[in-house]
Amino acid sequence: EEEEKLQNGGFLPCPAGPGGGGGSAGTALEEPLRSCQLRSDAERCWGTTSGSPPSPLAPGEDVGVRTSCGRAQPAALPPAPLGFTDVNLNSRNTYEVSRRRSAPEHLPHGGTAPVVPPQEPAERTRRVGIAGAGSSFAEFFTRNFFTKRTKELKPAVQSAPGWKLFGKVPPRENLPKDSKIIQQEYEARTGRMYKPPPPSGRRKNIEFEPLSTTALILEDRPANLPAKSVEEALRHRQEYDEMVAEAKKREIKEAHKRKKIMRERFKQEENIASAMVIWVNEILPNWEGMRATRRVRELWWQGLPPSVRGKVWSLAVGNELNITPELYEIFLSRAKERWKSFSETSCENDVEDVGASVADREASLELIKLDISRTFPSLYIFQKGGPYHDLLHSVLGAYTCYRPDVGYVQGMSFIAAVLILNLEEADAFIAFANLLNKPCQLAFFRVDHSMMLKYFAAFEVFFEENLPKLFLHFKSYSLTPDIYLIDWIFTLYSKSLPLDLACRVWDVFCRDGEEFLFRTGLGILRLYEDILLQMDFIHIAQFLTKLPEDITSEKLFSCIAAIQMQNSNKKWAQVFASLMKDNKEGDKNHSPALKS
């Protein structure tokens, strides 16, 4: 038996049937093994040496006599010798078919590929899985184990099917679990029943509830920690109620404040829209006859509509200098020539010329570049690369050439920038030149100390009349008006106040003149009087140099309206004229002493 096992590959031979050599037992074992014999089938299909493909089906030939290889065989085949030979290599599975489709066949031993005649699709499908002559274990395992599918790439999905060696695993369902399902699974594993905390009736009436206080105070302690005592739980609940109530009050207060601001804004927009119709259809066509009427002055006080603001400013400022757009182009070209020659010379010589020739203010063109970058920096439109940088540079440069006696003074860039935002280039230059030609602006920008002192003295007269307590407080610290008024007057409040509020100040300034500039200063002091009374010299100077950004036009103009520009039945112009008269008389009295 041991020798027979060795001869038969380790297995006992099957017993012969009663028929001798091919009984029923042998026949029963032969049928399932007939489809598994690789070498014998391959030899029947191709032969051992010829390597020629099978011939097409002859007329009248029975299809059933062909084997799976496509080669005709007699209907009854002699029984093959029994044994387990190469059983695993003859199964035609999906892996072998896909490999044959993607990888080319090995060339036969002859060196040339066999010529395959055209076949029908069914017959070609039957012959796909047949190996060439001389195929062996080495050729089988040297092939790529996994196929290359470059043309059938599909995007990956969330639940992609898994792979096994010769087939696909059905995709697994990775659906998100509900919280109830997770809770049930947890209870099934641990055997504990989760009891949610009873809902508190206190939360139903609370619209706003901070999450931080809810997580820190209201929630119970974890199970692994000792529970709170009754007194501690009541104390925490009381603290939590107080925090939530305070947060709710604050939120309601802020919501009411936002609603109030929105209502005021909508109301203001409606008033502006209705006022614009009046200005366009009634006032501007009849400007000279209606500008001084009470109705127009009241509309003016409420603020000009942005669409007509530039036009009204130009008409109110006027053009006493008779500047034309052509004249602006002349001075602009002169300024460009100066810039060009200035860039060609050395910087050291330019600085020496600026310090030496004070009369020639056209040399201050270089100072414009330094000041433009600091003009409305939050808007990012006047800085280098912005849309209005070159325009502002041109207007300021042309003015320095137009008025070399004044030149460029720091603060002019803010005035020119506000005009550029509301007017065209040439119109902005005309309004800018005529505005700086007013007595107050000319005195400040030419740094006329005697005239500036007269304006400061007139301001203090009305300061003492309207705000006596604050006036004495400033006097106790020797805080003079020049500390805070110079910056306000030089820039016409465009640097100190928000831009929209500054434009409204400009509206009434174009109506009332220089008097309104000092009246606005008194209105600012009145608005912050209570705060300023509690400050010392340093803090007052810092506060007035940089005013709060949340100042509103309604509050400021209500304070400005409360300022009475009248002292002993004298108005601003009369008080200033009396100061000028006293100054002239004082100069006459001191003139002989000065001459001696």
Side-chain angles (χ1 to χ4, degrees), residues 172-216:
R172 290 181 293 180
E173 297 292 336
N174 293 328
L175 298 177
K177 295 182 180 180
D178 192 8
S179 59
K180 295 182 178 180
I181 299 176
I182 297 174
Q183 179 180 343
Q184 292 175 1
E185 293 178 356
Y186 173 77
E187 292 175 357
R189 285 198 310 269
T190 60
R192 299 179 182 178
M193 295 297 293
Y194 172 73
K195 295 180 180 181
S200 177
R202 178 180 50 79
R203 293 190 182 184
K204 296 181 180 179
N205 298 326
I206 295 178
E207 297 178 358
F208 173 78
E209 187 170 306
L211 295 178
S212 60
T213 55
T214 303
L216 293 177

Side-chain angles (χ1 to χ4, degrees), residues 241-366:
D241 292 338
E242 293 176 357
M243 295 172 67
V244 171
E246 189 67 25
K248 183 181 177 181
K249 289 181 182 179
R250 184 170 59 253
E251 183 70 18
I252 292 174
K253 185 178 180 180
E254 293 177 356
H256 288 321
K257 185 178 180 180
R258 288 193 298 268
K259 289 181 181 179
K260 184 180 179 180
I261 293 175
M262 293 301 295
R263 286 197 301 267
E264 292 177 354
R265 185 175 299 175
F266 291 151
K267 185 178 179 180
Q268 183 180 3
E269 290 178 355
E270 292 176 358
N271 296 335
I272 289 174
S274 59
M276 182 184 65
V277 178
I278 299 174
W279 280 97
V280 172
N281 298 332
E282 300 179 18
I283 300 175
L284 290 178
N286 305 309
W287 173 253
E288 294 298 334
M290 296 187 65
R291 63 176 299 179
T293 60
R294 183 176 181 180
R295 181 191 178 192
V296 174
R297 291 182 65 87
E298 290 178 355
L299 286 175
W300 217 328
W301 176 266
Q302 295 175 3
L304 297 174
S307 58
V308 300
R309 176 168 283 157
K311 181 67 174 177
V312 175
W313 286 358
S314 297
L315 293 174
V317 173
N319 189 11
E320 296 178 355
L321 300 175
N322 296 322
I323 301 175
T324 60
E326 293 77 14
L327 187 63
Y328 166 68
E329 295 294 336
I330 293 173
F331 287 108
L332 179 59
S333 60
R334 184 181 299 178
K336 291 181 179 179
E337 292 176 359
R338 289 275 181 171
W339 288 328
K340 186 177 180 180
S341 62
F342 189 85
S343 61
E344 291 176 355
T345 58
S346 61
C347 297
E348 296 180 359
N349 295 333
D350 289 341
V351 173
E352 292 176 359
D353 293 338
V354 171
S357 58
V358 180
D360 188 12
R361 293 298 183 91
E362 292 187 17
S364 62
L365 292 174
E366 181 65 18

